[in-house]
Amino acid sequence: MASHRRAKQPNTRYASVLTVTAAAAVAISTQSASADPLPDPNKKGVKAQVDRLYEEATQATEKYNGAKEKADGLEKQVGDLQDAAARKQGELNEMRNRLGSIAAGQYRAGGLDPSIQLLLSTQPDTYLEKASDLDRLSSRQAEELDEFQAQQRELQQQRTQATRKLKDLEDTRTELGKKKKEIQGKLAEARRLLNTMTAKERASMVAEEDRANRSSARADLGNEASASQRAAAAFNAAKSRVGMPYVWGATGPNSFDCSGLTSWAFRQAGVGIPRTSQAQASAGTRISSMSALKPGDLVIMRSDLSHVGFYAGNGQILHAPKPGAQVRYESMARSGMPFMWGVRIS
């Protein structure tokens, strides 16, 4: 396995020179998701307030992502049920026409009582053969009637299911709208606060981001191999996105939130994993000890499981950290986010 030391970082120059205000504006207009730790609520200052708003926005983003995934699933289920109901209605229409033709034929052939028809028949043997055929026809008709009624019941069940799913979808879309409004409100407030900062305060925040990006470029990942070829392929895909901006709700290829990056990277490796960090926390084999992590394992952070990234080796995480930041390497020990466990996708 090749060394994981300092992967090439494409297109990082533009991100490192963004002012904090501009980065926040991008986050508002395009969207953002899950990152660093909740600052001390008693700590004062604009930066502390902005950090807290970003944190709250990223946590809300994972809830938004979950609702979006649910809505997408419900839309597919509703479509499938409606298609199945349409096909079933077509089958019932054919059965109804067939039963109607049989009934009409029997009505036209009716008249005398069968025993009288036999007495008057000039060819009793032929009549008996026809009567036997009629008995078999009546038996088939009865079976078709039973089948028709069973199909009617199934159609009604499908329509009832579709109605229920449509109601669930409506409720989920309402939830999506609320989460989107909440995220945008927090990011708008962060932008307002950033605009109140002095030039010196802004320069300090820009310098802090520059330091984080320079540290990412110098990250020593060691030479440890991934646990599987799929994990290695996903990790390599994520490494190719270093320098791309964090945008809430984004799943690539040119912007990401935290779980958007990990799910996109595994798709490039031909592996489907859930969309949200909370769902990804149960997507594979749990690795409880940080010392047992291998490059390409997922790293689940925070007690509410609202952040995820890739273990990059040598105590580093590769992730999309927060609004105004870019995909980068960071020391897990210095991230300020508590490690919960790792997840190995085989």
Side-chain angles (χ1 to χ4, degrees), residues 131-196:
S132 177
D133 289 342
L134 183 60
D135 286 341
R136 285 196 294 273
L137 179 62
S138 297
S139 176
R140 283 202 306 276
Q141 184 179 10
E143 289 174 359
E144 291 219 24
L145 282 169
D146 288 341
E147 176 64 16
F148 182 80
Q149 291 172 339
Q151 297 288 353
Q152 277 186 316
R153 288 192 295 271
E154 186 175 342
L155 174 60
Q156 185 56 46
Q157 288 173 351
Q158 288 172 336
R159 286 175 172 167
T160 300
Q161 281 184 298
T163 300
R164 256 195 324 264
K165 295 291 183 183
L166 280 168
K167 177 63 170 62
D168 290 344
L169 179 57
E170 181 181 348
D171 292 343
T172 303
R173 283 174 172 164
T174 299
E175 181 185 356
L176 266 178
K178 290 179 180 177
K179 289 299 176 188
K180 183 176 182 179
K181 186 175 181 180
E182 177 185 354
I183 295 164
Q184 290 177 329
K186 290 182 183 300
L187 294 176
E189 176 62 11
R191 181 174 61 179
R192 186 191 69 76
L193 288 171
L194 287 167
N195 288 335
T196 69

Side-chain angles (χ1 to χ4, degrees), residues 29-303:
S29 61
T30 53
Q31 308 172 341
S32 339
S34 196
D36 31 22
L38 220 55
D40 181 352
N42 298 315
K43 187 177 179 181
K44 299 185 184 299
V46 172
K47 182 180 183 305
Q49 295 177 61
V50 169
D51 286 345
R52 186 172 184 82
L53 285 165
Y54 280 169
E55 174 64 19
E56 292 171 349
T58 59
Q59 290 175 320
T61 292
E62 286 305 290
K63 294 178 181 178
Y64 171 90
N65 290 339
K68 178 68 165 59
E69 187 174 43
K70 180 180 178 182
D72 291 344
L74 285 170
E75 284 182 356
K76 184 178 186 310
Q77 291 175 39
V78 168
D80 290 344
L81 284 168
Q82 290 175 334
D83 288 345
R87 288 193 299 271
K88 185 66 65 182
Q89 185 64 67
E91 293 170 5
L92 283 170
N93 290 341
E94 291 180 5
M95 291 180 71
R96 184 181 287 109
N97 292 337
R98 191 163 60 249
L99 288 168
S101 297
I102 293 172
Q106 288 180 333
Y107 178 78
R108 287 193 299 271
L112 294 174
D113 181 88
S115 60
I116 297 176
Q117 291 184 44
L118 178 58
L119 286 172
L120 298 177
S121 176
T122 56
Q123 295 180 300
D125 291 339
T126 301
Y127 173 79
L128 289 172
E129 289 175 3
K130 290 181 178 179
S132 177
D133 289 342
L134 183 60
D135 286 341
R136 285 196 294 273
L137 179 62
S138 297
S139 176
R140 283 202 306 276
Q141 184 179 10
E143 289 174 359
E144 291 219 24
L145 282 169
D146 288 341
E147 176 64 16
F148 182 80
Q149 291 172 339
Q151 297 288 353
Q152 277 186 316
R153 288 192 295 271
E154 186 175 342
L155 174 60
Q156 185 56 46
Q157 288 173 351
Q158 288 172 336
R159 286 175 172 167
T160 300
Q161 281 184 298
T163 300
R164 256 195 324 264
K165 295 291 183 183
L166 280 168
K167 177 63 170 62
D168 290 344
L169 179 57
E170 181 181 348
D171 292 343
T172 303
R173 283 174 172 164
T174 299
E175 181 185 356
L176 266 178
K178 290 179 180 177
K179 289 299 176 188
K180 183 176 182 179
K181 186 175 181 180
E182 177 185 354
I183 295 164
Q184 290 177 329
K186 290 182 183 300
L187 294 176
E189 176 62 11
R191 181 174 61 179
R192 186 191 69 76
L193 288 171
L194 287 167
N195 288 335
T196 69
M197 296 178 76
T198 66
K200 183 178 180 180
E201 289 171 329
R202 291 182 186 178
S204 176
M205 290 188 72
V206 170
E208 183 178 322
E209 279 299 304
D210 284 343
R211 282 194 297 273
N213 294 334
R214 287 196 301 272
S215 178
S216 174
R218 296 191 300 267
D220 181 1
L221 308 181
N223 298 299
E224 193 171 8
S226 298
S228 70
Q229 289 184 340
R230 288 179 173 179
F235 182 42
N236 284 333
K239 288 193 288 187
S240 75
R241 300 295 88 191
V242 169
M244 297 293 103
Y246 175 101
V247 175
W248 75 266
T251 57
N254 297 316
S255 59
F256 303 89
D257 62 27
C258 71
S259 57
L261 174 65
T262 50
S263 58
W264 175 87
F266 269 103
R267 281 201 305 276
Q268 310 318 299
V271 181
I273 64 172
R275 170 65 177 92
T276 68
S277 59
Q278 289 89 349
Q280 290 177 20
S282 303
T285 302
R286 183 177 297 193
I287 309 297
S288 299
S289 172
M290 287 179 61
S291 63
L293 292 171
K294 301 285 186 182
D297 288 342
L298 295 177
V299 177
I300 308 300
M301 311 289 277
R302 299 202 196 102
S303 59

